[in-house]
Amino acid sequence: MVHRLGSFARPRVLRRVVTIGVATALVLAACGSDNKSNSSSTAAPGGTAGGGGSDKSLVIARQMDVNSLDPSRAYCDTCQIFMTAVYETLIGLDTDNKTLVPRLATSWEANDAQTEFTFHLDPKAKFADGSPVTSADVKFSWERLKGLQGAASYLVSTVQTIDTPDPETVKVTMSQPNSAFLAQVNASYLGIVNSKVAQAQGATADPATDKAETWFLSNSAGSGPFELADYTQGNELRFKRNDNYWGTKSQFPEVIIKETAEAATQRQQLEQGAVDIAMQISNDVAQGMGGSDVTVNPVPSFNYVYLALSPGAVGGDALKKAEVRQAIRLALDYDGLVNVTVGGAGKSQPSPIPNGFAGTDGLAPPKQDVNKAKDLLSQAGETNLTFDATYPTFNVYGVDFSTAMQKVQTDLKAVGIELKLNPVEISVWADKIGKDGIPVTMLYFAPDHTDSSQYVQYFGLLPGSQWQTWAKVDENKDETDLLNQAFAAKDDTSRAKLYNQLAQMMIDDQIIIPVVNPNLFLASRSDIKGMHYSACCNLDLSRLSRG
Amino acid sequence: MTAIALPSGVRVVRRRPPWLRGTSLVAVVSIGMWVIVALTLPLWSPHDPLEPIGDRLLSPNAHNWMGTDALGRDVFTRTLWGARQSLPISFVVIVSSVIVGTVVGAVSGYFGGWLDTVLMRFVDITMAFPPILLAMAITASLGPSVRNAVLAMILVWWPIYARLLRSQVVAVRQREHVESAVAIGASRWLILRRYVLPLSYTPVLVNATTDFGQVVLLTASLSFVGLGARPPSPEWGAMITEGVTNFYDWWIAAAPGVAILLVVFAFNFLGDALRDSFDVKDRGR
Amino acid sequence: MPLLLAGIATLVFVISRLTPADPLVSIVGERNLNNPEVVAAAKAQWGLDQSVFVQYVKYMKNLLHGDMGTSFTTRQPVTSDLLDRLPATLELVICALILGVSVGVSLGILAARHRGSIIDGIARFFALLGASLPAFWAGLVLLYVFYAQLGWLPGPGRLDTRDTPPSRITGFYTVDSLLHGDISTFGNAVRHLILPATVLGLGVVGIVTRLVRASLLDEFSLEYVRVARAMGLRERTVVNNHALRNALLPTITIVAFTFAFLITGAVLTETVFSWPGVGNYAVEASRRLDYPAIIGVTILGGIAFLLTNLVSDVAYAFADPRIRLS
């Protein structure tokens, strides 16, 4: 082997020098120019809609659980924010989280029997493309919501016919008395879609013919203060200001919801000014937050996390015995759960109707009784049970599901029940619960509107309700009867009494066991005004401003 | 160690093999300690790895050397118990891969022909993938669990040994004494067993040692993305994931990470030392 | 080579059918099962109501047309998803490569020249450390120190949250912003690259240092080095100008090999740094059981590996005069 000496002198040295030089240049360029582009300086380079200037975009950090951006199919916490911003409802909710106020409808009436509702639309109301919002659009939107049978369709289940006597009047006839309808109309999922635009994209009320879902992933057709600019799953949801908005335009040319899974990262981004609002700060992460730049304000919320038992699921046969379910309920260390999940910044909750809603007065808080639980199990002859516990990994209301489930696992082990924990991505969870069901699982719920009926319609064992379907159990006819009575009730007191009975019935069903009702940490930069928690809509972007 | 007649007064010093000397000794000892810990831990564990024993999220203190996690469990204890996850998993994966790979490689290299071509093509195809991608795909398909992760890793790892063995076998097969053995009619299996395999074990040992650490890393990686160990298992990768949720409580992720680092480092070091000491080329000093 | 590609595709097909779930569900997703149009289209395209063999044939045919199915999560064709995300990964990998190779070569030279001394020991120690660090953990540690505590470097993501990326020419934020003359975005992009590239580069340093050191030592034992030294050439000249050139021939293979290693390491690094590249896509796809995406990414990984090997063979042949001239 002969090696030649000599002439390839330069290449190696040269290469190293060049590399070091380039690296240094890069570093210098970075340090030099970055003093102005990092931290919360003004106008973003690269140009945003509206030409920059003093109005920066609003950036929100949260983990998104978007299942769809189709207004008739969307049903998730992030979807509430989206729907409220893009597709307006006829009726809005005031800042007190109780009073209904006009929005697309200036006024409304209901007949005594609560079977006919008439809405008068605001003639000024326009969609983002300039066309007026008419009764035909309301009819199309609600019929499509009902027809496509998405998860939010339960809100219009009692709607029988929608008449449009003139472009500004909508008359809705119910299949039964429904005193909750006005609250339901306020739910973000009943936002109104531009029917002409949607139909041009193949939107229909029939799932066999509807083609528009994919179009809705990158386009919107609403009348709200924002439009959908872009959605990249796992990355961001971008709104652009509707410059044709018929109401008061937003100050923000753009709102970006940035997918940020971890509360700690959200905090970091907030403190460094990279985001303006962090929506899922947990109690642990909130320790030490605050100061002049960042405001953190814990408020009670109606959101909660719950354990769900599905007797009809594959592997859940033992749960068919009421004693077993009751034993599980008695085995849980409720105070410990509140401590472990939110460090005490929250409450336990007896029934699926959250604290503060009609019907919850006087309900006894859940109590742990390990001995009684063990007795019940041995009475039922089930002493060594094992259940599959698949649950979604999701950052919800500051509660880490894995932490909560491990605590539940420990509590149940003490009474002789073994849980096989299986954390999965929420889409995988949704597939599983829809198909085989899951014996023991955990989920969360935020209110869709201000009436207690939603909890019965979602959690109660009514035919076709979400949890009756998922848990694969028989319906509870008494609940259906009571709910109809509640719908027909004419005053709040009698309604509250009925919901109280319903709440107790749902407790006795032993299908849904609320685990914690956490406080919500409203975390934002101190220059953001209007930060709030909405009982219908999660976060109403139109209420936010800067300065 | 040849026997030489030395003048009286001269001591014969028996030297330890190079991989047991100096810094390598540290590596061997530390591996030994991890193994002992993993085997005996249930007898002397400071706390229960699954039971909360203190307040949540305590920073390291005299009572809890690496603090407590979000459920109040002792992080130091859980880290030690993690060894009982990672070490056996790696052992199973490596041993299985070596066995499967040896069989395939030896058969392929020794018998040659179309069998060789087919088997080696299959090996090439499997090795054409980045290991983690392949392991993720297989685990996701079969369903996330430790058992499936182990299976996936074996499927990813055996081709390496197959290829290694095959080249060794091919090289050895051509040596004179093997050819003579064939000439005198020794059976192929006998040759395989008595000549070929014993001469091939060295590179396998070297690779297996380094790979042990790699499998620990891969196991932790799979658990980190949620495809391996299920809670409440104190597996190191899963613990690091919990540490991400409680980012400011740095000890939760620090302890398992350091554990992984120490174990993998020791195995890498030992593997290097073995490679150096078994290396035929003499570098001299 | 084409046989290998076919083999890769076949293996991935087998893996995708390993799932106990119904293949129709794997291709269409549970949620779309109620949509007869989607189901019918899927059945026609992938042959799902026919035998496995027919399915395989259709699968290969679709692949040849570049069709890897539609991702459940993004609802876009997997091929376009991958092309969208590829520049992000490449940008990261190339930076890590530059960093890792330059540091690794320097350390390797240092170690070889001072062989046996404490410098050698330290260099080898660091090299080994780099190869033993779990990349995702190192990323977290660096984020904790330099981002959360010190605030010197930005956090996860390719750019600051408020910044819009430069309009896409290559997809490399650094290159594109320079092409647009946007210095501040360039600086921003570079700052965001520092931590993830360092994390990825650490593993590269480990490999490259050891190989360069070994190769150089091999060269040192050869005659021409002794001649050069005997002729009185300074040690530095001997190493840098003569031995290195030859020692680095295997380095080309090494660089190609580390490129492949980097693709692997990128998977976890991207997860930790929320880097929207192919690795992140692979992890999300595995978590969500997005089978078309899993298949697509795995095939891409296989192709990438093969390509780098091919390139390294060619480059080696080109660089080594012995092969070139023979």
Side-chain angles (χ1 to χ4, degrees):
Chain A
M1 286 196 290
V2 176
H3 299 266
R4 294 181 306 175
L5 296 174
S7 52
F8 2 91
R10 277 166 273 57
R12 285 290 68 85
V13 181
L14 183 66
R15 204 175 87 157
R16 268 210 293 163
V17 167
V18 165
T19 313
I20 295 172
V22 166
T24 322
L26 289 179
V27 171
L28 282 178
C31 291
S33 52
D34 223 78
N35 288 331
K36 61 172 157 64
S37 84
N38 196 21
S39 77
S40 49
S41 56
T42 48
T48 51
S54 60
D55 288 328
K56 271 198 294 179
S57 24
L58 180 69
V59 185
I60 300 173
R62 70 173 280 131
Q63 185 176 34
M64 297 191 277
D65 53 347
V66 173
N67 69 320
S68 177
L69 292 179
D70 180 325
S72 310
R73 290 191 167 93
Y75 192 72
C76 68
D77 281 11
T78 313
C79 308
Q80 288 178 325
I81 306 175
F82 169 75
M83 291 296 290
T84 311
V86 175
Y87 297 96
E88 288 177 307
T89 50
L90 296 192
I91 301 179
L93 189 65
D94 206 355
T95 50
D96 63 3
N97 273 339
K98 278 204 188 52
T99 320
L100 298 177
V101 294
R103 211 177 204 159
L104 282 179
T106 50
S107 62
W108 48 88
E109 303 101 39
N111 69 351
D112 240 16
Q114 308 280 309
T115 51
E116 280 169 20
F117 294 82
T118 312
F119 300 91
H120 303 283
L121 299 177
D122 191 329
K124 293 198 305 301
K126 288 189 303 179
F127 287 112
D129 67 349
S131 54
V133 178
T134 64
S135 53
D137 300 302
V138 177
K139 181 176 163 83
F140 171 79
S141 307
W142 292 354
E143 282 180 351
R144 186 163 184 263
L145 178 63
K146 185 164 183 196
L148 290 187
Q149 288 297 297
S153 63
Y154 82 92
L155 292 163
V156 284
S157 58
T158 55
V159 167
Q160 192 169 55
T161 49
I162 306 177
D163 294 308
T164 55
D166 65 70
E168 283 166 18
T169 313
V170 184
K171 202 164 110 167
V172 187
T173 313
M174 300 280 137
S175 57
Q176 63 178 85
N178 182 355
S179 59
F181 189 58
L182 290 177
Q184 290 168 335
V185 170
N186 168 239
S188 58
Y189 303 109
L190 268 77
I192 307 304
V193 187
N194 188 334
S195 57
K196 287 198 199 57
V197 171
Q199 282 169 322
Q201 296 300 327
T204 69
D206 183 354
T209 55
D210 177 82
K211 293 188 187 37
E213 189 176 7
T214 319
W215 182 82
F216 278 117
L217 272 180
S218 28
N219 304 278
S220 61
S223 63
F226 290 96
E227 296 180 82
L228 174 63
D230 190 54
Y231 171 59
T232 334
Q233 192 274 334
N235 191 19
E236 62 179 35
L237 172 59
R238 230 174 237 264
F239 301 86
K240 58 177 190 263
R241 178 171 54 205
N242 174 8
D243 285 317
N244 267 338
Y245 185 49
W246 63 281
T248 320
K249 288 216 288 253
S250 169
Q251 175 195 19
F252 300 110
E254 209 184 21
V255 176
I256 308 169
I257 301 184
K258 255 308 205 221
E259 168 92 20
T260 318
E262 295 297 335
T265 319
Q266 292 183 10
R267 167 179 170 169
Q268 206 59 38
Q269 306 266 43
L270 188 64
E271 287 179 338
Q272 295 187 344
V275 305
D276 297 301
I277 295 175
M279 288 194 74
Q280 289 155 324
I281 300 292
S282 66
N283 184 51
D284 291 335
V285 166
Q287 300 309 310
M289 270 180 93
S292 55
D293 291 332
V294 170
T295 314
V296 181
N297 187 13
V299 299
S301 77
F302 301 117
N303 307 329
Y304 63 91
V305 173
Y306 60 92
L307 200 68
L309 307 176
S310 302
V314 170
D317 290 324
L319 290 170
K320 293 195 170 115
K321 299 193 185 158
E323 301 97 325
V324 174
R325 302 201 306 277
Q326 201 185 354
I328 291 177
R329 192 187 164 85
L330 289 169
L332 297 180
D333 170 13
Y334 294 95
D335 293 329
L337 276 164
V338 174
N339 188 28
V340 149
T341 51
V342 293
K347 299 195 287 271
S348 63
Q349 181 179 301
S351 81
I353 305 182
N355 307 319
F357 267 65
T360 51
D361 288 334
L363 289 174
K367 277 238 147 22
Q368 180 185 34
D369 189 338
V370 174
N371 290 326
K372 181 140 179 245
K374 286 199 209 157
D375 287 339
L376 281 168
L377 283 174
S378 45
Q379 268 176 44
E382 306 275 9
T383 39
N384 262 321
L385 289 169
T386 308
F387 293 115
D388 162 60
T390 302
Y391 60 92
T393 52
F394 194 65
N395 177 4
V396 162
Y397 316 143
V399 175
D400 178 47
F401 276 22
S402 274
T403 312
M405 283 305 279
Q406 287 181 78
K407 173 82 175 100
V408 168
Q409 183 186 48
T410 315
D411 290 342
L412 291 184
K413 199 158 94 160
V415 300
I417 299 177
E418 195 190 323
L419 283 187
K420 290 237 171 313
L421 299 186
N422 185 23
V424 295
E425 196 69 24
I426 195 159
S427 52
V428 176
W429 176 92
D431 285 350
K432 189 163 184 190
I433 198 139
K435 212 164 71 141
D436 292 336
I438 303 170
V440 178
T441 191
M442 180 170 276
L443 200 59
Y444 57 97
F445 197 81
D448 294 329
H449 58 79
T450 49
D451 191 281
S452 296
S453 56
Q454 64 188 298
Y455 294 100
V456 184
Q457 287 180 298
Y458 190 84
F459 293 107
L461 299 181
L462 310 180
S465 86
Q466 185 66 88
W467 272 105
Q468 190 262 342
T469 314
W470 278 348
K472 303 188 179 14
V473 284
D474 295 328
E475 57 165 302
N476 182 334
K477 288 219 168 46
D478 297 331
E479 285 176 6
T480 315
D481 290 337
L482 270 184
L483 181 62
N484 289 334
Q485 287 179 41
F487 275 149
K490 301 259 192 337
D491 60 283
D492 291 339
T493 326
S494 45
R495 222 175 285 147
K497 263 218 287 259
L498 289 162
Y499 281 122
N500 199 303
Q501 287 177 271
L502 278 165
Q504 192 57 53
M505 274 189 193
M506 289 197 283
I507 295 175
D508 295 334
D509 284 338
Q510 318 268 27
I511 298 292
I512 304 294
I513 305 175
V515 155
V516 61
N517 163 222
N519 291 342
L520 196 64
F521 285 85
L522 300 177
S524 62
R525 300 286 295 173
S526 302
D527 61 351
I528 298 291
K529 306 264 174 303
M531 193 55 195
H532 62 278
Y533 162 70
S534 163
C536 72
C537 311
N538 203 337
L539 185 67
D540 185 350
L541 296 181
S542 64
R543 281 166 60 179
L544 300 172
S545 60
R546 190 196 306 277
Chain B
M1 311 292 131
T2 45
I4 303 173
L6 295 168
S8 58
V10 179
R11 267 182 320 144
V12 177
V13 177
R14 269 193 42 166
R15 301 190 69 204
R16 273 177 272 154
W19 52 270
L20 217 39
R21 265 186 259 150
T23 37
S24 313
L25 187 60
V26 175
V28 175
V29 167
S30 70
I31 292 174
M33 277 174 47
W34 277 109
V35 172
I36 292 175
V37 162
L39 286 173
T40 62
L41 194 53
L43 303 173
W44 57 271
S45 172
H47 298 288
D48 187 322
L50 301 180
E51 290 295 321
I53 54 97
D55 285 337
R56 302 173 65 228
L57 303 175
L58 290 173
S59 54
N61 55 64
H63 217 64
N64 309 99
W65 293 353
M66 286 304 286
T68 56
D69 66 6
L71 277 150
R73 301 176 294 205
D74 182 44
V75 174
F76 183 69
T77 310
R78 281 174 66 80
T79 310
L80 291 180
W81 278 79
R84 285 173 65 83
Q85 300 281 318
S86 301
L87 294 182
I89 288 175
S90 294
F91 185 75
V92 168
V93 171
I94 296 286
V95 167
S96 313
S97 305
V98 167
I99 291 175
V100 173
T102 303
V103 167
V104 173
V107 163
S108 177
Y110 195 70
F111 292 105
W114 63 268
L115 186 63
D116 181 26
T117 318
V118 165
L119 284 175
M120 282 304 113
R121 276 284 150 264
F122 188 57
V123 164
D124 286 341
I125 291 171
T126 313
M127 287 185 71
F129 291 96
I132 192 167
L133 278 186
L134 198 58
M136 283 195 328
I138 297 175
T139 315
S141 255
L142 293 172
S145 73
V146 168
R147 198 198 59 161
N148 291 338
V150 167
L151 203 58
M153 287 192 281
I154 295 174
L155 288 172
V156 164
W157 231 275
W158 72 261
I160 300 177
Y161 292 100
R163 197 183 258 179
L164 193 61
L165 251 304
R166 181 192 172 275
S167 55
Q168 288 293 311
V169 165
V170 163
V172 164
R173 187 180 66 179
Q174 290 157 357
R175 292 213 198 147
E176 281 187 0
H177 64 283
V178 176
E179 288 188 348
S180 347
V182 172
I184 60 169
S187 86
R188 287 162 134 184
W189 295 111
L190 183 80
I191 292 171
L192 209 54
R193 241 184 335 116
R194 277 202 64 195
Y195 295 105
V196 172
L197 288 182
L199 289 168
S200 325
Y201 86 94
T202 314
V204 170
L205 195 60
V206 169
N207 270 295
T209 313
T210 316
D211 280 351
F212 204 97
Q214 295 303 306
V215 175
V216 169
L217 277 177
L218 189 56
T219 310
S221 307
L222 285 175
S223 299
F224 179 69
V225 297
L227 288 173
R230 311 271 92 198
S233 167
E235 201 272 334
W236 290 331
M239 287 173 70
I240 295 179
T241 312
E242 283 179 18
V244 172
T245 312
N246 297 284
F247 195 60
Y248 291 98
D249 308 301
W250 55 271
W251 54 92
I252 300 179
V258 169
I260 297 176
L261 183 59
L262 290 176
V263 169
V264 177
F265 190 88
F267 275 103
N268 276 349
F269 205 98
L270 186 58
D272 264 6
L274 281 174
R275 177 180 293 128
D276 281 347
S277 79
F278 286 133
D279 203 338
V280 175
K281 281 185 261 177
D282 180 26
R283 300 203 189 285
R285 281 236 156 200
Chain C
M1 173 72 173
L3 192 64
L4 263 180
L5 283 174
I8 288 175
T10 310
L11 184 60
V12 175
F13 176 80
V14 169
I15 292 176
S16 71
R17 292 291 184 267
L18 276 179
T19 171
D22 176 12
L24 179 64
V25 176
S26 343
I27 290 178
V28 150
E30 180 80 37
R31 253 153 286 131
N32 282 326
L33 280 182
N34 302 323
N35 188 337
E37 225 184 69
V38 175
V39 169
K43 282 189 173 164
Q45 196 182 10
W46 302 93
L48 294 171
D49 35 12
Q50 295 164 290
S51 73
V52 174
F53 186 69
V54 174
Q55 288 180 38
Y56 175 64
V57 169
K58 292 208 166 176
Y59 163 85
M60 291 300 272
K61 223 171 69 166
N62 289 333
L63 266 187
L64 280 175
H65 292 143
D67 180 3
M68 295 197 251
T70 309
S71 157
F72 298 162
T73 38
T74 64
R75 315 285 173 92
Q76 307 289 330
V78 170
T79 325
S80 70
D81 275 347
L82 290 175
L83 286 175
D84 273 344
R85 285 165 173 71
L86 203 52
T89 306
L90 284 178
E91 192 175 32
L92 182 59
V93 161
I94 290 175
C95 286
L97 197 64
I98 294 176
L99 264 175
V101 168
S102 35
V103 173
V105 166
S106 318
L107 272 186
I109 292 176
L110 207 60
R113 279 182 51 188
H114 301 273
R115 185 215 179 143
S117 77
I118 200 149
I119 298 181
D120 183 18
I122 293 179
R124 293 174 71 194
F125 176 80
F126 274 112
L128 213 54
L129 197 68
S132 316
L133 267 179
F136 58 96
W137 184 74
L140 288 173
V141 169
L142 287 180
L143 271 177
Y144 184 78
V145 171
F146 290 101
Y147 169 59
Q149 296 301 326
L150 293 173
W152 288 355
L153 286 170
R158 292 179 78 189
L159 286 177
D160 283 348
T161 18
R162 287 180 200 282
D163 282 349
T164 33
S167 35
R168 183 180 168 125
I169 305 176
T170 59
F172 285 47
Y173 287 2
T174 43
V175 172
D176 286 351
S177 49
L178 276 181
L179 288 177
H180 285 290
D182 187 350
I183 295 294
S184 66
T185 307
F186 173 76
N188 199 339
V190 170
R191 289 190 98 223
H192 278 266
L193 269 168
I194 295 178
L195 279 182
T198 307
V199 169
L200 262 190
L202 284 173
V204 177
V205 166
I207 297 175
V208 171
T209 306
R210 280 144 78 195
L211 282 161
V212 166
R213 177 185 179 278
S215 239
L216 263 182
L217 290 179
D218 267 345
E219 292 299 307
F220 283 177
S221 65
L222 293 173
E223 280 220 359
Y224 78 98
V225 171
R226 283 165 47 194
V227 168
R229 284 177 179 153
M231 276 167 51
L233 289 179
R234 274 183 309 161
E235 184 64 17
R236 183 154 27 112
T237 319
V238 174
V239 175
N240 292 353
N241 299 358
H242 304 305
L244 200 50
R245 215 309 187 158
N246 295 323
L248 284 175
L249 281 180
T251 304
I252 296 172
T253 320
I254 292 158
V255 166
F257 173 71
T258 56
F259 197 86
F261 160 85
L262 282 169
I263 297 174
T264 307
V267 170
L268 291 168
T269 312
E270 287 185 12
T271 308
V272 169
F273 287 93
S274 302
W275 199 263
V278 171
N280 206 341
Y281 188 71
V283 170
E284 289 294 311
S286 302
R287 281 181 179 153
R288 286 163 206 272
L289 297 185
D290 184 345
Y291 290 104
I294 295 176
I295 289 174
V297 169
T298 317
I299 290 181
L300 181 68
I303 292 177
F305 248 44
L306 274 187
L307 272 179
T308 46
N309 283 335
L310 190 69
V311 166
S312 91
D313 283 344
V314 167
Y316 195 107
F318 189 71
D320 187 344
R322 290 171 286 169
I323 297 179
R324 200 160 19 110
L325 296 174
S326 69

